[in-house]
Amino acid sequence: MTSTLGIAVIGTGKMGADHVRRIGHSVGGARVVAVADPDGDRVKEVAAGLEGASAHTDPVAALSAPGVGAVLIASPGPAHEEALLAALERELPVLCEKPLTPDPAAALRVLEAERRLGRRLVQVGFMRRFDAEYERLKGLLDSGGIGRPMFLHCRHRNASSPSFFTSSMLISDSVVHEVDAARWLLGQEVTAVTVLSPAASSAAPGGLRDPQLVLLETSGGAIVDVEIFVNCGFGYQVQVEAVGEAGSARIGDAGAMVVQAAGRRYDEVPQDFTVRFADAYDRQLRRWVAAAARGGVDGPDVWDGYAAAAVSEAGLTALRTGTRTAVELAERPPLYR
Ligand code: ISE
């Protein structure tokens, strides 16, 4: 007999609501048993659509609700640390949306709590690692198919940015994906960051430094350049070209749909990350549910979340000062090697 994993979902905004829907429709073996959000009306509305789920305005209370065996954290980044520490105290497996925490000091406190437990219980939602195209590129690089990688040329474009987006968030909320992807694809740490920005696009809301060019240097001598443009207008686009000593490989060109109409033939560009990475989100959640049911996790860990936060912090200094900024990393504990 197989039992169903009871999940508490913390945060019912865009990502939280998407995960609740996913757990109900695309992922077997799990169900949402508790939801939490500071917005009392919203959380009651979400819980009302879920049979037997309790609604909470306090995230910690949701973790203690009957039947909770794992936690999905999708609240805003600054609220993550409290929920993560409470989940670790209860030894509950966690899937935490990126960023793990907004700053490396908070990530280190989470790392310390998990290290004390002596086993990995927290997975960070860097979903690109579960995308089929990214997996193929990782396989190619690992096999040595294009030789030692020297460059990753990355483009990350959003149709438009939400009203609350700041110039720093282009790095901490958006480029953080390329930071994790680059660390994972290359198997190297990022050692320094430089940020350049052209005259802002006229589509950028007042004062937003959009687009930016973020340069990452890595411990193995590779260079990663990221064009981040969050008000490009035409849709959602994420591309990577890896250039090695013996070849190059590019992902992210696949059109969502080829349309032929009114005498023209064209590729339709997805408008949003929940569309472009829909399969990756599904696979991430399925793999996490399967691992959580066994009491563990199966994906990027707290060290990955901490390293990304440390690179973000250096990136924010580079953006503010206009200078190349070294990344300061603590020593990697044996639990994460
Ligand atoms: C958003 O939070 C994401 O995670 C998306 O993948 C990214 O494209 C977007 O820029 C972020 O704001």
Side-chain angles (χ1 to χ4, degrees), residues 167-190:
S167 299
S168 304
M169 288 175 81
L170 270 78
I171 295 174
S172 60
D173 203 59
S174 304
V175 174
V176 72
H177 280 294
E178 273 75 19
V179 170
D180 181 67
R183 294 181 58 255
W184 176 65
L185 287 170
L186 299 171
Q188 299 169 21
E189 291 297 356
V190 174

Side-chain angles (χ1 to χ4, degrees), residues 56-330:
H56 308 262
T57 48
D58 173 14
V60 177
L63 303 192
S64 304
V68 171
V71 188
L72 197 159
I73 301 174
S75 47
H80 288 183
E81 182 182 357
E82 184 196 15
L84 284 162
L85 294 176
L88 285 172
E89 230 174 80
R90 291 161 178 76
E91 302 196 26
L92 293 168
V94 180
L95 174 60
C96 180
E97 268 302 326
K98 46 68 42 179
L100 177 70
T101 59
D103 61 277
L108 276 180
R109 290 191 288 273
V110 175
L111 186 143
E112 191 44 38
E114 195 180 52
R115 205 187 54 76
R116 274 199 305 269
L117 275 180
R119 64 194 176 107
R120 289 192 246 177
L121 279 177
V122 177
Q123 176 171 335
V124 186
F126 286 126
M127 80 299 181
R128 290 191 190 176
R129 295 193 188 199
F130 298 88
D131 175 69
E133 285 189 85
Y134 271 86
E135 280 185 344
R136 274 183 83 182
L137 181 59
K138 168 85 176 142
L140 180 72
L141 295 178
D142 285 356
S143 72
I146 60 167
R148 182 182 65 85
M150 299 178 293
F151 291 111
L152 297 180
H153 303 301
C154 310
R155 293 183 198 90
H156 183 166
R157 296 171 181 149
N158 292 189
S160 61
S161 57
S163 57
F164 54 81
F165 229 64
T166 61
S167 299
S168 304
M169 288 175 81
L170 270 78
I171 295 174
S172 60
D173 203 59
S174 304
V175 174
V176 72
H177 280 294
E178 273 75 19
V179 170
D180 181 67
R183 294 181 58 255
W184 176 65
L185 287 170
L186 299 171
Q188 299 169 21
E189 291 297 356
V190 174
T191 53
V193 189
T194 306
V195 181
L196 301 169
S197 38
S201 160
S202 54
L208 193 71
R209 287 173 67 180
D210 181 33
Q212 298 175 17
L213 181 68
V214 179
L215 298 175
L216 310 173
E217 293 166 53
T218 74
S219 51
I223 300 224
V224 180
D225 56 273
V226 186
E227 176 207 302
I228 177 69
F229 187 9
V230 297
N231 287 280
C232 80
F234 65 78
Y236 187 74
Q237 193 173 46
V238 167
Q239 296 174 328
V240 185
E241 183 186 24
V243 180
E245 291 176 341
S248 74
R250 176 170 161 142
I251 59 169
D253 290 308
M257 183 160 48
V258 176
V259 181
Q260 302 188 93
R264 291 170 59 226
R265 175 190 161 100
Y266 56 92
D267 273 356
E268 234 182 32
V269 183
Q271 292 299 301
D272 190 35
F273 50 91
T274 52
V275 178
R276 160 65 182 87
F277 287 111
D279 288 345
Y281 280 116
D282 279 352
R283 294 173 76 198
Q284 167 184 257
L285 205 50
R286 284 198 201 104
R287 293 252 299 263
W288 174 70
V289 164
R294 299 189 300 268
V297 286
D298 181 14
D301 60 25
V302 170
W303 176 262
D304 297 311
Y306 159 69
V311 177
S312 276
E313 186 174 69
L316 299 189
T317 304
L319 174 69
R320 204 178 57 246
T321 62
T323 54
R324 174 183 179 276
T325 306
V327 176
E328 284 173 31
L329 269 193

